[in-house]
């Protein structure tokens, strides 16, 4: 049975970068591509982006996976963000620098969304 988890990261986009690109990189890493039959094969997920400190972007990934797959999901998220670029549409030229990334607890205000992802 899938369980909900959260992961946070901070990235700094290059000039003119698309703030959707890091989340897109996460989707490609977790699902293998933009489009696929649902549910997501490894981890159903949602990525929220908000302004961070020092001009960075804070990404919060809420995901649901089998507990045995949690480490693999986090490894894929970290690898996608550490790559620092998304070379496909919608942001083929967006680059970023990863500043921080790691686990975070699922917040109370995310409980409903977490339950839907866990399905």
């Amino acid at each position: 049975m899938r369980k909900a988890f959260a992961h946070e990261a901070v990235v700094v986009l290059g000039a003119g970068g698309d703030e959707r690109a890091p989340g897109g990189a996460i989707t490609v890493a977790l699902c293998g591509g933009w489009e696929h039959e649902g549910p997501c094969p490894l981890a159903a997920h949602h990525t929220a982006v908000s302004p961070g400190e020092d001009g960075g972007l804070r990404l919060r990934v809420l995901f649901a996976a089998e507990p045995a797959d949690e480490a693999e999901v986090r490894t894929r998220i970290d690898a996608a963000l550490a790559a620092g670029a998304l070379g496909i549409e919608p942001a083929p030229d967006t680059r970023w620098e990863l500043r921080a990334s790691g686990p975070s607890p699922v917040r109370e205000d995310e409980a409903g969304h977490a339950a839907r992802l866990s399905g």
Side-chain angles (χ1 to χ4, degrees):
M1 179 168 194
R2 289 185 175 200
K3 178 181 173 192
F5 301 94
H7 196 91
E8 284 196 2
V10 175
V11 300
V12 175
L13 288 180
D18 185 333
E19 70 179 28
R20 299 172 299 170
I26 291 168
T27 296
V28 170
L30 295 181
C31 301
W34 294 109
E35 296 181 22
H36 60 82
E37 292 289 324
C40 298
L42 178 61
H45 65 282
H46 171 77
T47 303
V49 178
S50 61
E53 52 274 353
D54 297 330
L57 291 176
R58 179 168 301 282
L59 289 90
R60 183 161 178 85
V61 183
L62 187 62
F63 67 92
E66 296 294 331
D69 293 333
E70 176 189 4
E72 175 66 19
V73 172
R74 292 188 193 283
T75 296
R76 289 185 186 199
I77 291 169
D78 285 340
L81 295 176
L86 180 62
I88 58 177
E89 291 297 330
D93 297 322
T94 295
R95 303 210 179 281
W96 62 84
E97 177 185 337
L98 177 61
R99 295 279 173 92
S101 184
S104 178
V106 175
R107 300 184 312 235
E108 266 187 55
D109 66 324
E110 296 171 319
H113 195 174
R116 287 188 301 278
L117 288 173
S118 297

